[in-house]
Amino acid sequence: MELYPLKLSYIAKNAIWGGKKLLTEWNKKGNDDSIAETWELSVRDKEMAVIQNGIACGMTLSEYISLCGAECVSSSYTLDDPFPLLVKFIDASDRLSVQVHPDDTYAKEVENDVGKTEMWYIADAEPEASIICGLCDGVTVSDFKKAVMNGQTNEVLKTIPVKKGDSFFIPAGLVHAIGAGVLIAEIQQNSDLTYRVFDYDRVGADGQKRPLHIEKALAVTRTWSEAERDTEAFERGRECADGELLANSKYFSVVKKTISSQSTLTVHKESFVPLLCVDGKGSILSNGTSYPIARGDSYFLPANLGEVALEGDLEVIISRV
């Protein structure tokens, strides 16, 4: 099977906090008048990205990988391994629940799954928008448990104002929440494990409050200082060959690259590259063929594809495992 840039479909999902920007400004389509998330790169049993171009058009990404072999994911990947990454856009018109994700050890023991470490790139934000990112300085896990039990969660959570272009590394065990008016690109471990701590007493479409997972959430929460997060996201913020390094963890590396005319990108055998366009438009040139790319588009560049050129006026998020 030929190696070439694969343009991927997305899976649109909605929630009570979903917004309209993905519909009205990012050219996405869904079954409702709002979209909470689009899963842009997804290899999961019930959420499978489909290839939209070239000779593999109509295949699922999983089928393509099976035909090409594990080497199109990574030189160290096997077809028995779980696919490593999940890439999303998330549009919050209302604040998300206060939540936390388990690490690999807890997820394996309790959920028979992998944990969930993630990073956020703020693709858009309303004025005065904010996120919750960890516990306030000096607050211990014991303090947090007491606050949860006493209904005083907000008093111990760290709120951070955000703007377009900011990025945040969210390791497993860090309490967090996306605030209203924030649209993010999220790169994460391929896991959907989320433990809600607090949900503002909201009710879902069935008229019932959404379930909380307080016992599990408290079991996995840990304090993460900013210095500890920077250590996990090794060398975050430095310039590298592809652009600005947003995270370089044991699960993924993520780079933001801004192109004003033309630039090159080399896809080595060590890792495939999820390419996510977060602004502008242009094209990907590979082996003599041009592939259009614009804000909101997602491409899978198979491992060992070699050098590609990026042309136009655009900003992309480049991930690797």
Side-chain angles (χ1 to χ4, degrees):
M1 179 63 69
E2 179 186 351
L3 298 182
Y4 66 99
L6 308 177
K7 189 174 189 298
L8 299 180
S9 67
Y10 54 86
I11 297 97
K13 292 175 174 281
N14 211 354
I16 58 177
W17 45 263
K20 298 183 183 297
K21 286 185 178 179
L22 289 172
L23 284 168
T24 61
E25 300 177 22
W26 290 70
N27 199 33
K28 302 296 183 181
K29 295 178 174 60
N31 296 322
D32 301 301
D33 61 359
S34 62
I35 297 178
E37 306 181 18
T38 55
W39 291 20
E40 298 290 331
L41 170 59
S42 179
V43 181
R44 299 176 62 83
D45 288 342
K46 296 181 181 180
E47 296 104 355
M48 190 69 67
V50 176
I51 299 163
Q52 296 185 301
N53 66 331
I55 60 172
C57 186
M59 286 185 188
T60 67
L61 187 51
S62 178
E63 290 169 338
Y64 178 87
I65 292 168
S66 294
L67 286 171
C68 276
E71 295 82 8
C72 76
V73 175
S74 167
S75 55
S76 60
Y77 182 75
T78 75
L79 294 179
D80 292 329
D81 294 332
F83 191 79
L85 295 184
L86 178 59
V87 177
K88 305 174 179 177
F89 284 118
I90 300 177
D91 179 20
S93 68
D94 194 5
R95 53 195 173 178
L96 272 68
S97 61
V98 177
Q99 57 191 243
V100 65
H101 308 304
D103 63 15
D104 287 338
T105 301
Y106 187 93
K108 182 177 181 180
E109 292 176 354
V110 177
E111 309 283 5
N112 192 30
D113 204 342
V114 297
K116 186 176 176 184
T117 285
E118 60 195 32
M119 70 82 53
W120 299 344
Y121 174 76
I122 308 298
D124 196 10
E126 299 292 335
E128 300 184 6
S130 64
I131 63 169
I132 290 170
C133 191
L135 304 177
C136 292
D137 294 342
V139 173
T140 66
V141 173
S142 178
D143 295 334
F144 176 61
K145 290 180 179 179
K146 291 177 183 176
V148 171
M149 297 307 177
N150 293 330
Q152 298 173 326
T153 309
N154 283 344
E155 298 179 13
V156 296
L157 298 173
K158 181 179 290 186
T159 299
I160 301 175
V162 298
K163 64 184 184 304
K164 181 179 178 179
D166 290 342
S167 65
F168 299 88
F169 183 69
I170 313 291
L174 179 76
V175 180
H176 61 276
I178 301 170
V182 179
L183 193 152
I184 73 167
E186 178 175 284
I187 290 84
Q188 58 161 95
Q189 287 180 266
N190 191 6
S191 171
D192 198 27
L193 291 176
T194 295
Y195 299 149
R196 291 193 197 103
V197 180
F198 182 64
D199 196 36
Y200 310 99
D201 292 326
R202 292 181 292 196
V203 297
D206 60 0
Q208 302 297 312
K209 290 182 181 179
R210 297 198 300 171
L212 302 179
H213 318 94
I214 291 175
E215 183 177 349
K216 289 181 176 180
L218 294 178
V220 303
T221 297
R222 56 162 289 189
T223 56
W224 277 98
S225 70
E226 189 170 342
E228 288 173 325
R229 294 202 305 276
D230 282 344
T231 299
E232 288 292 305
F234 182 65
E235 294 189 338
R236 176 181 182 273
R238 74 170 175 86
E239 290 297 314
C240 62
D242 289 334
E244 179 190 354
L245 187 63
L246 304 183
N248 191 22
S249 75
K250 64 181 179 180
Y251 300 110
F252 48 72
S253 67
V254 182
V255 171
K256 179 178 74 172
K257 187 177 187 71
T258 301
I259 298 99
S260 57
S261 57
Q262 186 181 80
S263 183
T264 59
L265 169 68
T266 302
V267 187
H268 301 285
K269 66 180 182 178
E270 286 80 14
S271 176
F272 70 100
V273 170
L275 189 66
L276 197 62
C277 185
V278 293
D279 211 353
K281 62 181 180 179
S283 58
I284 305 166
L285 303 177
S286 176
N287 295 319
T289 303
S290 178
Y291 304 85
I293 185 170
R295 186 172 72 162
D297 286 344
S298 172
Y299 275 83
F300 176 93
L301 307 184
N304 212 29
L305 179 62
E307 186 173 277
V308 302
L310 301 172
E311 290 187 339
D313 185 7
L314 68 160
E315 188 172 80
V316 295
I317 300 298
I318 299 165
S319 307
R320 304 178 195 267
V321 291

